[in-house]
Amino acid sequence: MEGKVQGKSDVSAETPIPLLTPYKLGKFQLSHRVVLAPLARQRSWNHVPQPHAILYYSQRTTKGGLLITEATGVSDTAQECPNEPGIWTKEQVEAWTPIVDAVHAKGGIFFCQIWHEGRVTNTDFWPNVLAPISCTDKPLTPQIQSNGINLTQFPTPRRLKTDEIPQVINDFRLAARNAIEAGFDGVEIHGAYGFLLDQFMKDEVNDRTDKYGGLLENRCRFPLEAIEAVVNEIGADKVGIRLSPYSSSAEARDSNPKALGLYMAESLNKYRLLYCHMCEPKRETVGEKCDCPHSLLPMRKAFNGTFIVAGGYGREDGNRAVAEDRADLIAYGRWFLANPDLPKRFALNAPLNKYNEETFYTPDPVLGYTDYPFLEDIE
């Protein structure tokens, strides 16, 4: 997933491949364990997903494969970029439906990742509107964009009042209902990488003194209440969550990430969630991979459901993670982005296409989106 190219390894194509063994995910029968990770692509227009997403997702669909959408906003305050999709209006639900139908037509299982960005909001997209919401009124420091040149400025967020939090929870509930109406098989609640739910969980961001701040269980209250609302709305067998306790992305750090991860993993059992999707410590920030002594194994053991891991995996270490029972499923982002037939390439131990970071977030409906070649196209 990281790096520029990944060639053949020393594992024979004839060797049984853990990543390509079947797996029962609740009521869903998966044919393999290679998951399309949620990837921001910024190809929507005015928060409405477009027809070109039909090809993008269907290209990456296999019969019995699990796909998770790009982060999808739960309300008109949830995200700043108009090229990011939402699922809070009838128009958005209707736009998602043919995309979901295309994935189902090829036998895929499709979950919609729902999120709220909170304070991670670019001022370029927020002129003359209310300040973004968060657990705090501390703004992010300006950050150099991925192009290494432009500087992103972040507005000062507005600290949510205690009695406003139920409305945001209700936004998650309604988004989950809308996802099911659009035909999705379930939803993944985004609680990772410094966005709103993660902001509440992390003690270096959350400086509240009410019941949503201070002690660990208070900081986790909002995410768990959102989970409960979504579970009550669509059923626990259709709900997963993504967490990144070790991540420092968007300046969302915690002084004791292991305790945070364990508390959340154990708390999720109460709701009988379908899966927990956790980001590896070695992926401390988006786009950065580093060696790290920490492990998700304690969280894996604490959580009773399906455990998905993400963060820098290739074919070899993905196989090892499954073989050693450190995870049930492995989510792949950049490698799946650049290789729409990734499970097939893993099966054949074939070389992988290089990915082009410069086209990750361009609005072009083809370039860097649906134009990555399949294996048969380059043989």
Side-chain angles (χ1 to χ4, degrees):
M1 187 171 168
E2 298 303 313
K4 291 295 182 182
V5 67
Q6 182 170 333
K8 292 186 177 182
S9 71
D10 58 359
V11 176
S12 166
E14 287 76 32
T15 303
I17 301 172
L19 280 169
L20 300 180
T21 56
Y23 180 79
K24 192 76 162 58
L25 175 65
K27 63 183 179 182
F28 307 108
Q29 183 60 57
L30 304 187
S31 60
H32 58 79
R33 300 170 186 244
V34 180
V35 178
L36 175 66
L39 295 164
R41 301 313 319 274
Q42 296 189 1
R43 262 78 172 185
S44 297
W45 296 340
N46 294 322
H47 301 303
V48 178
Q50 297 299 302
H52 44 253
I54 296 173
L55 179 59
Y56 172 77
Y57 283 109
S58 63
Q59 282 180 331
R60 287 154 184 80
T61 302
T62 52
K63 185 177 181 180
L66 174 61
L67 299 83
I68 306 170
T69 70
E70 60 210 277
T72 302
V74 300
S75 71
D76 58 0
T77 69
Q79 57 208 122
E80 90 286 3
C81 178
N83 293 337
E84 297 168 342
I87 197 160
W88 69 85
T89 70
K90 181 179 179 181
E91 181 185 12
Q92 292 162 344
V93 171
E94 292 175 346
W96 272 116
T97 299
I99 304 169
V100 177
D101 289 346
V103 170
H104 285 161
K106 296 181 70 174
I109 293 92
F110 207 11
F111 272 54
C112 181
Q113 188 190 69
I114 55 176
W115 76 335
H116 195 300
E117 285 188 313
R119 68 174 183 167
V120 187
T121 298
N122 188 334
T123 54
D124 292 344
F125 299 106
W126 278 80
N128 304 316
V129 297
L130 295 174
I133 60 174
S134 182
C135 60
T136 182
D137 55 10
K138 297 181 297 186
L140 285 165
T141 56
Q143 297 177 12
I144 297 293
Q145 295 180 10
S146 57
N147 61 14
I149 302 172
N150 296 336
L151 189 70
T152 296
Q153 300 281 352
F154 298 95
T156 299
R158 181 176 67 84
R159 187 193 305 270
L160 273 171
K161 298 177 182 178
T162 305
D163 60 4
E164 292 178 309
I165 290 176
Q167 178 56 54
V168 182
I169 291 171
N170 194 54
D171 290 338
F172 276 89
R173 181 186 67 82
L174 293 175
R177 177 200 287 179
N178 288 343
I180 299 303
E181 183 180 339
F184 283 104
D185 297 296
V187 301
E188 175 179 285
I189 299 168
H190 196 340
Y193 287 139
F195 299 111
L196 183 62
L197 299 186
D198 199 33
Q199 290 161 29
F200 270 80
M201 285 185 274
K202 301 291 180 62
D203 61 8
E204 292 193 20
V205 181
N206 189 333
D207 56 1
R208 303 177 71 91
T209 57
D210 63 1
K211 66 179 182 178
Y212 292 101
L215 298 175
L216 176 59
E217 53 265 38
N218 288 349
R219 301 197 311 274
C220 295
R221 187 187 307 275
F222 176 25
L224 292 174
E225 289 180 348
I227 290 166
E228 182 175 27
V230 170
V231 165
N232 289 342
E233 181 65 34
I234 66 172
D237 61 336
K238 303 180 188 71
V239 181
I241 188 168
R242 195 179 210 204
L243 300 170
S244 59
Y246 288 97
S247 172
S248 59
S249 183
E251 299 175 9
R253 302 176 183 85
D254 194 81
S255 61
N256 193 342
K258 181 179 180 180
L260 171 59
L262 274 173
Y263 180 82
M264 284 299 293
E266 293 166 352
S267 298
L268 296 178
N269 292 329
K270 171 184 175 182
Y271 305 102
R272 304 178 68 85
L273 252 60
L274 179 64
Y275 70 77
C276 176
H277 179 183
M278 203 165 282
C279 305
E280 287 281 2
K282 62 184 175 182
R283 185 75 178 276
E284 291 194 339
T285 61
V286 177
E288 178 184 336
K289 180 181 175 182
C290 64
D291 293 328
C292 181
H294 304 297
S295 169
L296 296 181
L297 193 56
M299 296 76 171
R300 157 55 157 177
K301 293 179 178 178
F303 181 64
N304 294 336
T306 293
F307 199 70
I308 306 175
V309 296
Y313 280 94
R315 181 180 187 267
E316 292 306 309
D317 50 1
N319 278 324
R320 284 195 300 272
V322 173
E324 296 169 4
D325 199 33
R326 290 184 281 114
D328 298 304
L329 308 173
I330 311 295
Y332 289 88
R334 297 175 181 204
W335 288 125
F336 220 148
L337 178 157
N339 296 271
D341 52 356
L342 187 64
K344 178 179 179 180
R345 290 177 188 254
F346 281 172
L348 299 175
N349 198 17
L352 304 183
N353 296 327
K354 299 177 181 180
Y355 53 76
N356 181 1
E357 295 185 22
E358 294 181 358
T359 60
F360 280 178
Y361 311 117
T362 58
D364 193 292
V366 176
L367 182 66
Y369 192 56
T370 58
D371 61 346
Y372 283 104
F374 288 75
L375 192 58
E376 56 265 29
D377 296 333
I378 57 177
E379 289 179 334

